[in-house]
Amino acid sequence: EVQLQQSGAELVKPGASVKLSCTASGFNIKDTYMHWVKQRPEQGLEWIGRIDPANGNTKYDPKFQGKATITADTSSNTAYLQLSSLTSEDTAVYYCARGTYFDVWGAGTTVTVSS
Amino acid sequence: DIQMTQSPSSLSASLGGKVTITCKASQDINKYIAWYQHKPGKGPRLLIHYTSTLQPGIPSRFSGSGSGRDYSFSISNLEPEDIATYYCLQYDNLLTFGSGTKLEIK
């Protein structure tokens, strides 16, 4: 079965960093793009960026440049999202998704930034 | 950057009825638009890509159309499980979501 398994919820302090994971099963991430999407409480979906795991090339929405870093480990079939210098604005659910138009999604990881 | 203006932000319709959501792009997106259904606590579900191509397993009461800058998405024969928030996404130039439409059943 094709699916994306995301890491568990995180409670982090302001100013800290966090790294989320998204492990694929049923397909090889090298064969597709892997994306990350943000949803703040009671807000809509925002595209953060994507990685081509075959060569490591990344693209980001300008809004997330400097905030988000997307990486991938093809040996473990896992994509990662690192968020730095966290503030309350980063409190959100973060989803990973596959492909050109997101045909498979993870269930989301909740990140709460609080002291 | 391409902006996507989605409307309405919410709507209410009767079981068995039909609803239509629109997305207007700030420039031609060459039919590269997808539509998603999102329910609380879950990842969004892809319904349609490339304007009107239905994902396998998605009922034909979901449909999409459009070209250029203007696109629409419809659900006919509304069922209780259609209660959700719906989003459009343009993937012609980077990616941009619409602001979402919350569907309620009367």
Side-chain angles (χ1 to χ4, degrees):
Chain A
E1 182 186 2
V2 172
Q3 59 182 0
L4 295 171
Q5 182 68 42
Q6 296 192 233
S7 50
E10 300 271 4
L11 173 60
V12 291
K13 295 191 185 307
S17 297
V18 69
K19 191 171 185 177
L20 313 181
S21 67
C22 170
T23 300
S25 56
F27 72 99
N28 193 326
I29 63 170
K30 281 198 294 187
D31 296 332
T32 187
Y33 290 129
M34 294 296 294
H35 302 258
W36 288 90
V37 173
K38 177 182 181 180
Q39 185 176 35
R40 295 186 63 195
E42 306 303 319
Q43 302 295 311
L45 303 172
E46 297 180 89
W47 179 70
I48 296 172
R50 72 161 191 241
I51 187 167
D52 181 349
N55 55 29
N57 287 345
T58 54
K59 276 193 185 291
Y60 297 93
D61 185 287
K63 182 179 175 181
F64 293 97
Q65 289 275 5
K67 166 64 66 176
T69 303
I70 299 173
T71 57
D73 178 358
T74 54
S75 67
S76 62
N77 221 26
T78 300
Y80 298 94
L81 172 67
Q82 180 161 337
L83 301 168
S84 61
S85 303
L86 291 165
T87 73
S88 59
E89 301 289 301
D90 300 312
T91 292
V93 177
Y94 293 85
Y95 296 98
C96 60
R98 174 184 88 160
T100 302
Y101 43 79
F102 308 171
D103 63 335
V104 179
W105 291 70
T109 295
T110 299
V111 174
T112 303
V113 182
S114 174
S115 55
Chain B
D1 295 4
I2 298 177
Q3 308 303 314
M4 298 296 288
T5 302
Q6 183 172 342
S7 61
S9 57
S10 65
L11 73 165
S12 181
S14 301
L15 292 175
K18 180 177 180 178
V19 296
T20 297
I21 299 167
T22 64
C23 270
K24 188 176 186 73
S26 58
Q27 64 189 64
D28 188 343
I29 56 171
N30 300 299
K31 295 193 169 187
Y32 290 110
I33 187 169
W35 295 90
Y36 303 85
Q37 178 189 68
H38 193 198
K39 297 183 178 181
K42 295 186 173 184
R45 177 191 183 196
L46 174 66
L47 303 174
I48 288 171
H49 69 94
Y50 196 58
T51 297
S52 58
T53 302
L54 224 55
Q55 273 298 96
I58 302 301
S60 59
R61 47 194 198 82
F62 294 90
S63 63
S65 64
S67 63
R69 295 175 57 197
D70 296 301
Y71 298 86
S72 64
F73 166 80
S74 295
I75 313 171
S76 59
N77 298 322
L78 280 167
E79 299 185 1
E81 59 263 32
D82 297 334
I83 295 173
T85 301
Y86 293 84
Y87 293 91
C88 64
L89 169 77
Q90 72 78 20
Y91 55 100
D92 180 56
N93 186 342
L94 295 185
L95 297 99
T96 315
F97 285 98
S99 54
T101 298
K102 187 172 185 178
L103 173 62
E104 297 174 336
I105 304 294
K106 285 181 186 173

